[in-house]
Amino acid sequence: MPQESSHPDAGGAHRVAMLVDAGSNPFEMGIATELFGLRRPELDVPWYDFTLCAPAPDVRMHDGFFTLSGVPGLEAADAADTVIVPNRPDDTPPTAPVVAAIRRAAARGARLVSFCTGAYALAAAGVLDHRPAAIHWRWADRFAARHPAVRVRRDVLFVDDGDVLTAAGSAAALDLGLHLIRRDHGAEVANHVSRRLVFAAHRDGGQRQFIERPVPEVPDASLAPVLAWAAERLDRPLTVADLAGQAAVSPATLHRRFVRELGTTPLAWLTGERVALACRLIERGEGRLEVVARTSGLGTAANLRAQLRRRTGLSPSAYRDRFGPARAAPVPEAPGPVPVPGPAPVPVPGPASVPVPEKGPEPAACSC
């Protein structure tokens, strides 16, 4: 489904409401507050109008860690452009007032978002029927059994289905939140926020989830140099063999390390970096598609159009209209060098991880 932004028609701040209920996880609430609630005066864009809301003014959070007081009522969700539903450390069904609020939001066309087990709340309201959804791998089997009408995506970080978006777990909630900012404000703004968070600028929703394994005494950061090397040479015709040569390993070994440490393949990572660079060029006012394609390493305007639409749901012209400079307009292409913006922040691989197995252990209460 095409990915559309959700700016209010009247040009005001986009209103985001996060529902919390008894037993909600505080971490995901913190993610939403950090991404959408903190002011960003350094950004010349209208930021979000964020609020929490709940069925009752006092909400006891997960495990009684703390109690929120003076929380606005669910009528705040009725006025929101985006509604983030509550999640718990288990699969306890949401309360009737929360389900009713979600259904009202869906009926009026609000954008609905869930983090981790928040998918249970969306499913209980019926908004996930016959739609794809992500959920934490530990809960995937149980969730699928309870909600057979939902097309569960078991091994992805998040799913963007247009007006309904679901993230698999706590870290994936950050990925999805940055994805929403990218949809609403463009790649340049999302990159700025990710740098403030010291977080990877962009992990595709289709990347695989990970499970933990014992942390080695010396963390394996073997990909960091080759990622930085490639990010500085995106305008060149790099191949997987080139990356493998820079890393002094075989292409097969490099492929295994990418999948293990980043959850994606070398070619997919390289294409994603090139599309991100193309987005930044368009946002900074470059209107010549051939120049954007050549500078980003995508080669041709046709490939640029195809890759940009596949990853953002927008054509280059639509992307420029939405995220380009206010007065930017295409200009005739002329020969001459084009400055290349600096590379996007390169994520440094953390402790070694492995892809999710087909089946995990029986779920236990967790804060995912």
Side-chain angles (χ1 to χ4, degrees):
M1 180 174 292
Q3 301 171 358
E4 300 293 341
S5 72
S6 299
H7 286 303
D9 293 336
H14 182 107
R15 294 162 296 186
V16 178
M18 181 166 194
L19 278 63
V20 290
D21 204 357
S24 289
N25 284 329
F27 184 79
E28 286 80 356
M29 181 186 71
I31 287 174
T33 302
E34 170 74 31
L35 290 174
F36 307 115
L38 268 61
R39 300 297 93 196
R40 308 280 179 188
E42 70 278 12
L43 297 176
D44 188 24
V45 295
W47 206 239
Y48 301 92
D49 179 3
F50 178 79
T51 185
L52 299 175
C53 59
D58 296 332
V59 180
R60 186 173 184 267
M61 301 296 285
H62 168 50
D63 246 12
F65 290 141
F66 57 87
T67 297
L68 299 176
S69 300
V71 182
L74 293 178
E75 61 273 8
D78 293 334
D81 303 295
T82 293
V83 175
I84 306 174
V85 304
N87 73 305
R88 295 172 48 86
D90 52 39
D91 58 354
T92 301
T95 60
V98 167
V99 171
I102 295 171
R103 287 174 175 164
R104 291 195 302 272
R108 61 183 176 79
R111 184 167 64 183
L112 297 172
V113 178
S114 73
F115 298 152
C116 195
T117 51
Y120 278 102
L122 291 180
V127 300
L128 289 181
D129 287 356
H130 312 296
R131 303 183 75 153
I135 191 168
H136 195 286
W137 60 268
R138 296 183 68 187
W139 297 98
D141 289 342
R142 185 175 295 189
F143 180 86
R146 180 178 295 185
H147 301 288
V150 182
R151 304 202 308 270
V152 179
R153 299 285 303 279
R154 295 171 180 270
D155 62 351
V156 299
L157 295 178
F158 62 83
V159 170
D160 180 344
D161 196 37
D163 57 345
V164 178
L165 302 94
T166 51
S170 297
L174 272 169
D175 291 298
L176 179 53
L178 287 169
H179 173 75
L180 288 170
I181 293 173
R182 189 176 300 106
R183 271 182 47 172
D184 294 341
H185 296 292
E188 191 78 3
V189 171
N191 285 344
H192 173 87
V193 176
S194 72
R195 287 194 295 269
R196 288 286 300 270
L197 296 173
V198 196
F199 190 71
H202 187 198
R203 294 197 301 172
D204 280 335
Q207 289 188 26
R208 300 187 70 181
Q209 298 179 40
F210 295 89
I211 59 172
E212 295 178 351
R213 75 177 188 181
V215 178
E217 292 184 5
V218 180
D220 182 5
S222 60
L223 284 181
V226 72
L227 295 178
W229 178 85
E232 294 173 353
R233 295 164 174 81
L234 294 175
D235 59 324
R236 305 180 189 179
L238 295 176
T239 65
V240 174
D242 294 330
L243 271 63
Q246 180 66 22
V249 298
S250 69
T253 297
L254 184 74
H255 187 280
R256 288 194 297 271
R257 288 184 179 178
F258 263 78
V259 172
R260 184 179 70 240
E261 298 179 27
L262 298 181
T264 190
T265 65
L267 183 59
W269 177 85
L270 194 57
T271 302
E273 291 295 300
R274 284 172 166 159
V275 172
L277 175 56
C279 288
R280 295 197 301 276
L281 287 165
I282 294 172
E283 290 174 26
R284 295 174 186 181
E286 179 55 70
R288 298 165 294 178
L289 295 189
E290 293 294 343
V291 173
V292 173
R294 184 172 64 247
T295 306
S296 63
L298 292 172
T300 66
N303 190 41
L304 169 65
R305 291 188 186 94
Q307 294 293 342
L308 193 67
R309 184 175 290 279
R310 186 173 73 84
R311 290 175 178 264
T312 71
L314 299 171
S315 67
S317 59
Y319 193 93
R320 181 177 60 244
D321 290 344
R322 182 167 297 168
F323 300 120
R327 293 179 176 82
V331 295
E333 184 170 353
V338 177
V340 180
V346 178
V348 178
S353 304
V354 296
V356 179
E358 291 185 0
K359 283 193 175 181
E362 181 69 13
C366 68
S367 60
C368 44

